[in-house]
Amino acid sequence: MTTDQLSPDTTMNAITEAVALGRAGDIESARTRLLEIWSEIGTAGDRLHRCALAHYLADLYDDPAQALAWNIRAFDAADTLSDDRVQQHHSSLQVAGFYPSLHLNLADDYRRLGSWEAATEQIIAARAHLHVLPDDAYGAMIRTALDEVAAAITQRSTARRPSAPGPQS
């Protein structure tokens, strides 16, 4: 993200910059920076900030229990968000569009922990929200990942998916 693309929301900009570090392979710096931002905003901070930060921070943990804790935080924050708030960040966003990915992440964490029933429930919930996703690369990515996680549940595999975001062990 270049300076001319930055939003007036300095916290979202800091989150975005930390996420970029992780995507560039600097997992430790990204995790450290996101944890610093989390300590600044706290558990009662802005709901969008908490949702985005927790969602991306979960991807930086290879341990599914740690990822699950952050994914639950992201989901809980999303449950308190309004479309008005997310549209202050970007006019095209709707909270409903967050749920396929949030449920997918929970399903994958539960699957990696061997909690097959909980994983299956999250896959069902994610699929119930798929209609809100655009028919674009992002939507295709989420749909493909859902199929991968569902197949891994059927196979009773707890192995990390090669296509999962985050650190590869």
Side-chain angles (χ1 to χ4, degrees), residues 61-102:
Y61 287 97
D62 192 42
D63 177 348
Q66 289 177 304
L68 177 62
W70 286 105
N71 279 319
I72 289 171
R73 288 180 182 110
F75 192 91
D76 288 347
D79 270 350
T80 67
L81 270 172
S82 69
D83 284 340
D84 286 342
R85 173 59 188 107
V86 299
Q87 288 168 6
Q88 289 171 14
H89 178 65
H90 194 283
S91 62
S92 70
L93 293 177
Q94 291 186 326
V95 177
F98 293 9
Y99 285 101
S101 178
L102 293 170

Side-chain angles (χ1 to χ4, degrees), residues 100-123:
S101 178
L102 293 170
H103 283 293
L104 165 65
N105 291 347
L106 291 172
D108 204 27
D109 293 337
Y110 286 129
R111 175 196 65 82
R112 291 198 58 220
L113 291 166
S115 184
W116 311 116
E117 186 175 329
T120 300
E121 289 171 4
Q122 292 300 320
I123 287 292

Side-chain angles (χ1 to χ4, degrees), residues 42-64:
T43 58
D46 182 280
R47 295 168 179 130
L48 178 60
H49 296 159
R50 288 186 292 123
C51 182
L53 187 149
H55 178 70
Y56 289 115
L57 185 57
D59 289 344
L60 299 177
Y61 287 97
D62 192 42
D63 177 348

Side-chain angles (χ1 to χ4, degrees), residues 12-46:
M12 284 302 287
N13 291 338
I15 292 167
T16 300
E17 290 166 4
V19 169
L21 285 173
R23 289 185 176 159
D26 191 352
I27 303 300
E28 288 304 317
S29 293
R31 187 182 305 143
T32 297
R33 184 62 190 124
L34 287 172
L35 289 169
E36 289 169 353
I37 298 167
W38 182 263
S39 69
E40 293 166 13
I41 62 175
T43 58
D46 182 280

